[in-house]
Amino acid sequence: MVEQCAILLGGMGTRLGELTRETPKPLLPVGGRPFVELLIREAWRMGFRKVLLLAGYRPERVLSMIDDLRRALPRNCSVDISIENEPLGTGGAVVNALPYLDERFLLINGDTWFDFNWNALCADPGEDVASVAIREIDLADRYETIEVGGDGRAMRVAPRGEAQQAPFYVNGGVYCFSRSQFEGRQKCFSLEADLLPVLARAGKLRAVRSEGYFLDIGVPEAYARSQYEIPARQRRPALFLDRDGVINHDDSYVGSQDRFRWMPGSKEAIRYANEAGYFVFVVTNQSGVARGYYTTQDVVGLFDWMQAELREAGGYIDDWRYCPYHPDGVVEGLSIAHPWRKPQPGMLLDLMAHWDVDAARSLMVGDQVSDVAAAEAAGVQGALFSGQSLYTFVRERLLNRDEE
């Protein structure tokens, strides 16, 4: 499972003129926050817990904000930095960072927004094979293009103006690499011009198509658009899921991996919602903590294991909340009524306070009337799950909501 996301912060960004004279392009504000902070937040919500910033131009500006970035991150997340002492190109920046890189890692351009499930790149494609996200465009005269074979392998990276026939696919600036693809290479080189063509000719480059929203902020017109287009894209409907009885079988106070059984279709349902552009949140009553059956550490540990299992299947949970309180509990401090315990809406409202949720287009799926009541109190439609295939249940309802 790929845990690390490396972000190329790049060079001077001369096309943006005075905007980047003192500030690296990825540190420019978009919607009131540094653009790189938005990218880090995207990486975290998709399950990449370790972020490595590859800094070239004005690294002191990156260092000055690193503490703020770290404070903004949730539990179990880290942000580190690799600094170039001289311009090395996109490939050389990765070689320079090898001491800090995992065996396999996601790599993204720090000046582009490509909205799709990055985990789709990280399925193991075989020995020493890299992956690149590609996007179809109408006209390829200004871009290098990637020609793709029927097996999904990139056959050729065509220089600008040399694309032969439609459909035309361009490099989206999101990759999954192995360290071995950079070890032993020269110190200064271009990822796009030097490495990708070599991998394609060797049959070692997998191309993953996506139709997600894409924007490169590197020119003034696109940077201006980013101020309203990217914040608009961050607002999403959410799929809220109860845990026991929906994601897993309700085998009575499930607090450990050995007692956890995935509900049929639950992994597929979560990945489907991810790729349909929904936040996926878990909201679960866990009165077993108040009753002394297991601890909060057990609940958190089980969630981390669930997230790892989901990411192996290409999906992820964006965020979650749990309520360890119950009036009949025996653990001191937890034996109370609490506004997070369903049918109260506290968990949903807290998630909606932290994420830009389109409540009117959102859905809560639970197996109890209390789940639906919590959803309705939060202004979200609720649905009772029958206990069959969660994938079929969720797909039908999300399709119906998209058609409304």
Side-chain angles (χ1 to χ4, degrees):
M1 181 177 64
V2 177
E3 292 277 359
Q4 188 178 46
C5 173
I7 303 178
L8 287 161
L9 300 188
M12 294 180 63
T14 55
R15 293 179 297 173
L16 287 173
E18 284 297 305
L19 286 171
T20 52
R21 187 168 66 85
E22 300 292 336
T23 304
K25 190 170 26 174
L27 272 60
L28 292 173
V30 171
R33 291 184 176 182
F35 184 61
V36 69
E37 183 179 330
L38 304 183
L39 293 176
I40 291 171
R41 188 172 171 87
E42 287 295 288
W44 170 74
R45 75 178 187 85
M46 295 189 202
F48 298 92
R49 297 297 186 182
K50 300 191 304 185
V51 171
L52 178 65
L53 303 177
L54 310 188
Y57 176 62
R58 301 302 300 265
E60 72 280 3
R61 296 298 301 271
V62 184
L63 285 168
S64 69
M65 68 178 296
I66 203 87
D67 288 339
D68 289 339
L69 289 173
R70 286 171 175 155
R71 281 192 290 269
L73 289 176
R75 177 187 60 87
N76 289 344
C77 289
S78 65
V79 180
D80 294 300
I81 185 171
S82 168
I83 297 176
E84 303 170 37
N85 294 320
E86 58 181 313
L88 299 174
T90 50
V94 178
V95 172
N96 184 66
L98 281 175
Y100 310 101
L101 288 168
D102 289 353
E103 183 57 39
R104 292 184 70 230
F105 56 94
L106 187 80
L107 180 71
I108 65 175
N109 289 344
D111 58 359
T112 56
W113 185 274
F114 198 178
D115 189 2
F116 74 102
N117 179 5
W118 298 346
N119 286 284
L121 285 174
C122 298
D124 189 355
E127 185 176 357
D128 208 26
V129 175
S131 298
V132 57
I134 59 174
R135 186 173 183 275
E136 186 174 352
I137 60 171
D138 296 327
L139 187 62
D141 58 338
R142 296 194 302 112
Y143 302 96
E144 297 171 345
T145 56
I146 296 178
E147 298 173 4
V148 184
D151 61 353
R153 296 292 176 100
M155 300 169 58
R156 175 174 177 256
V157 179
R160 296 179 186 181
E162 294 186 17
Q164 296 179 356
Q165 62 181 16
F168 304 118
Y169 294 104
V170 295
N171 177 354
V174 186
Y175 316 88
C176 188
F177 286 114
S178 298
R179 286 173 52 91
S180 60
Q181 286 144 358
F182 293 88
E183 289 171 338
R185 293 191 177 273
Q186 62 190 24
K187 186 177 180 181
C188 181
F189 71 99
S190 165
L191 182 75
E192 299 84 356
D194 299 321
L195 179 59
L196 296 185
V198 170
L199 292 174
R201 287 195 295 271
K204 298 289 188 178
L205 184 62
R206 182 175 69 114
V208 177
R209 299 177 179 89
S210 174
E211 298 177 357
Y213 168 81
F214 177 86
L215 185 66
D216 179 343
I217 69 168
V219 297
E221 181 272 336
Y223 179 63
R225 286 169 48 206
S226 75
Q227 301 303 316
Y228 56 90
E229 289 188 7
I230 289 177
R233 295 285 172 169
Q234 290 181 289
R235 183 171 177 77
R236 304 168 181 267
L239 174 66
F240 295 91
L241 296 173
D242 179 37
R243 199 195 76 175
D244 301 317
V246 176
I247 296 175
N248 59 282
H249 290 272
D250 188 355
D251 290 332
S252 185
Y253 302 109
V254 177
S256 58
Q257 296 174 29
D258 61 302
R259 300 194 61 240
F260 188 98
R261 295 186 299 137
W262 291 98
M263 192 69 77
S266 56
K267 293 180 182 179
E268 294 82 359
I270 290 168
R271 178 168 180 171
Y272 177 83
N274 296 147
E275 295 178 351
Y278 281 68
F279 290 123
V280 178
F281 299 134
V282 172
V283 286
T284 175
N285 288 344
Q286 290 296 317
S287 68
V289 178
R291 298 175 191 277
Y293 299 148
Y294 44 80
T295 66
T296 55
Q297 290 80 7
D298 293 328
V299 177
V300 171
L302 183 54
F303 173 79
D304 288 343
W305 173 83
M306 289 169 56
Q307 183 78 309
E309 291 275 301
L310 286 166
R311 294 191 64 229
E312 288 287 354
Y316 58 92
I317 294 166
D318 293 84
D319 204 353
W320 71 302
R321 298 290 185 270
Y322 72 98
C323 181
Y325 301 93
H326 195 281
D328 297 332
V330 298
V331 176
E332 185 177 357
L334 301 180
S335 305
I336 59 173
H338 195 276
W340 276 28
R341 181 168 174 79
K342 295 176 288 185
Q344 299 300 314
M347 289 187 283
L348 286 85
L349 294 175
D350 191 68
L351 285 164
M352 292 163 68
H354 285 82
W355 299 90
D356 195 358
V357 175
D358 184 347
R361 296 172 54 214
S362 297
L363 178 70
M364 167 79 197
V365 177
D367 67 327
Q368 302 290 331
V369 172
S370 59
D371 298 316
V372 175
E376 292 177 349
V380 172
Q381 181 178 344
L384 279 174
F385 177 51
S386 62
Q388 301 300 314
S389 168
L390 185 62
Y391 170 75
T392 301
F393 187 90
V394 164
R395 183 174 182 274
E396 289 176 352
R397 281 154 184 80
L398 296 193
L399 283 173
N400 290 337
R401 294 190 71 75
D402 290 341
E403 292 170 0
E404 292 176 357

